[in-house]
Amino acid sequence: MEEKKLRIVFFGTPEFAVASLDRLVKEGEDIAAVVTMPDKIAGRGHKMIQSDVKRYAVANGLRVLQPEKLKAPEFVEELRKIDADLFIVIAFRMLPEVVWTMPRLGTFNLHASLLPRYRGAAPLNWAVINGDTETGVTTFFLKHEIDTGDIIEQRRVEILPADNVGDIHDRLMALGADMVAHTVREIANGSVKPVPQPEGEFTPAPKIFKETCHIDWNMPAERVHNLVRGLSPYPCAWTSMEDARTPGQWSDVKIYETSLTTGMTGDNLEPGDLKVDKESLYVKCGDGMLRVLSLQPAGKRRMDADALLRGYSPVRFR
């Protein structure tokens, strides 16, 4: 006897959510509608930009809803008429209670951390910034407080020393798609046994702003290195650079990749001072030197340090 498919509404916006939606579609799940952010105008050409989830949904003939306000009566009524069994939320806005309580089997979220660790908007970034050696994905049922619902399933991955947040994003995106599909099957056959999250044990993962990405060179080299890893390739850590040819003038530079050094203390340098050794660039941090491997001056492309040194004479970061 063929297993009855659940009627699902999928909520999501970025590429991270597309992998899970694609897995559900390929497994023949009944995706009754996809809810994503409204199109927005962006770029110098003022073109209308669609979310990654919308582009996928349109290409695969799925119904798309793009409400401006999630509490709007007309949107809520449209959802009711769909009469879904289950809602799935991945990298989307916070849903109002009138929405997440609607389906008979509830609403579950895929979160890119091992809850209760890293509740908030940027769990991937903060896991790397904080120097963690492990992270993972969690599915959990929504409740009133954000990222606090009962855990359905978790899977873990190692954060390797050379990983940046882009590497972890791609790894968890694939792992999360597997787990979302498994969670749907478990809910469909009634075998889920959600577990409450431990009380009082969580680490905040707030949204990343431009000031979050600014490098304080007084920090220890390892902390700076982890900040760079946790923001690369997007939104990217940044600093300001002074060039010997234009003293007193500063321009912003994105730092994409660094490496820790041994045996270089830079005792005669102040934090932010630069040292050039042949084709390599080093910067003084609070407790030693850090090698800068790739960066991007304002208005230029990303380049290796040796390429930068062929066109610039940098002396200090701040």
Side-chain angles (χ1 to χ4, degrees), residues 294-314:
S294 67
L295 63 174
Q296 182 178 7
K300 303 293 183 179
R301 59 176 176 80
R302 176 178 174 175
M303 61 186 73
D304 292 337
D306 62 337
L308 177 97
L309 294 172
R310 288 195 291 271
Y312 295 82
S313 301

Side-chain angles (χ1 to χ4, degrees), residues 7-8 13 24 65 69 81-82 104 109 142 167 183 216 219 227 230 239 250 258:
R7 190 165 172 78
I8 296 169
T13 295
L24 295 173
L65 305 177
K69 296 181 179 179
K81 288 179 180 177
I82 292 173
R104 68 179 183 87
N109 175 248
L142 263 58
D167 301 320
T183 297
D216 177 1
M219 295 194 302
L227 179 71
T239 188
W250 297 82
T258 58

Side-chain angles (χ1 to χ4, degrees), residues 3 24 31 82 91 113 136 144 156 166 169 172 191 203 206 212 242 246 254 257 283 288 303 317:
E3 179 183 316
L24 295 173
I31 308 298
I82 292 173
S113 83
H144 289 283
R156 300 170 181 268
H169 171 278
L172 290 188
S191 61
T203 306
T212 316
E242 183 182 23
T246 54
K254 292 180 178 180
E257 189 179 4
V283 56
M303 61 186 73
F317 288 156

Side-chain angles (χ1 to χ4, degrees), residues 68-186:
E68 291 283 350
K69 296 181 179 179
L70 297 174
K71 290 183 179 179
E74 59 272 21
F75 171 65
V76 173
E77 182 57 29
E78 198 166 8
L79 281 181
R80 290 194 195 282
K81 288 179 180 177
I82 292 173
D83 193 27
D85 300 302
L86 180 69
F87 289 172
I88 300 173
V89 184
I90 304 176
F92 193 67
R93 291 178 281 170
M94 187 174 178
L95 297 187
E97 185 175 358
V98 67
V99 172
W100 61 260
T101 57
M102 193 179 295
R104 68 179 183 87
L105 294 175
T107 299
F108 82 81
N109 175 248
L110 173 71
H111 187 72
S113 83
L114 297 171
L115 288 172
R117 190 159 176 81
Y118 297 120
R119 291 176 181 165
L124 287 174
N125 301 95
W126 287 107
V128 182
I129 290 170
N130 289 338
D132 289 5
T133 58
E134 181 184 61
T135 187
V137 282
T138 303
T139 50
F140 68 97
F141 283 115
L142 263 58
K143 60 184 288 189
H144 289 283
E145 297 81 11
I146 189 168
D147 297 338
T148 61
D150 292 352
I151 291 171
I152 304 169
E153 187 175 355
Q154 290 187 324
R155 298 186 186 179
R156 300 170 181 268
V157 297
E158 184 181 4
I159 300 177
L160 302 172
D163 285 336
N164 63 27
V165 74
D167 301 320
I168 300 301
H169 171 278
D170 294 350
R171 214 173 295 155
L172 290 188
M173 183 169 63
L175 186 66
D178 289 340
M179 196 169 70
V180 164
H182 185 260
T183 297
V184 169
R185 291 193 296 271
E186 294 290 289

